[in-house]
Amino acid sequence: MAQQTFQNACFIPDVGWCMAATEDESDPDDYLITLLFCDGCRVLVRVKDQIASYKDKACEYMDLPFDHSMPVRVKERLSWLPQFLSIMGLGM
């Protein structure tokens, strides 16, 4: 069972943490989302720019656009994003 820890962060057991921070106080939709997975993988998402950066033990990708060219391993990790955002009450 997932639990909300504070307004802009949550933890899903056996999956990892998600944290959301606004990058520009004047634009509340300009979020930087950080996904930290239990296996050490990290994904950073710049919502306004629709790009993601990914890092695990084997590889690293920077500034990937949200399109069909995104590597499968990144898409699989991003598939957790809607669940994390739902727990935090952030519908993006």
Side-chain angles (χ1 to χ4, degrees):
M1 183 77 182
Q3 63 189 89
Q4 186 171 352
T5 57
F6 52 92
Q7 183 177 0
N8 289 327
C10 69
F11 176 74
I12 298 176
D14 299 319
V15 176
W17 283 92
C18 178
M19 293 157 278
T22 55
E23 295 212 291
D24 181 353
E25 293 296 323
S26 66
D27 187 355
D29 295 325
D30 189 11
Y31 277 94
L32 173 64
I33 306 291
T34 303
L35 301 170
L36 302 172
F37 292 91
C38 293
D39 65 0
C41 174
R42 180 187 73 211
V43 180
L44 302 175
V45 177
R46 292 190 184 281
V47 174
K48 188 174 183 177
D49 298 328
Q50 294 289 291
I51 58 172
S53 296
Y54 172 94
K55 185 173 183 175
D56 67 18
K57 294 175 186 172
C59 68
E60 182 172 4
Y61 299 104
M62 301 298 293
D63 300 331
L64 295 167
F66 278 37
D67 63 22
H68 67 280
S69 68
M70 185 175 279
V72 172
R73 66 180 359 150
V74 180
K75 289 178 184 177
E76 289 171 351
R77 297 305 177 123
L78 285 174
S79 70
W80 284 99
L81 190 57
Q83 188 171 346
F84 279 119
L85 295 178
S86 174
I87 293 165
M88 292 189 294
L90 299 174
M92 293 181 199

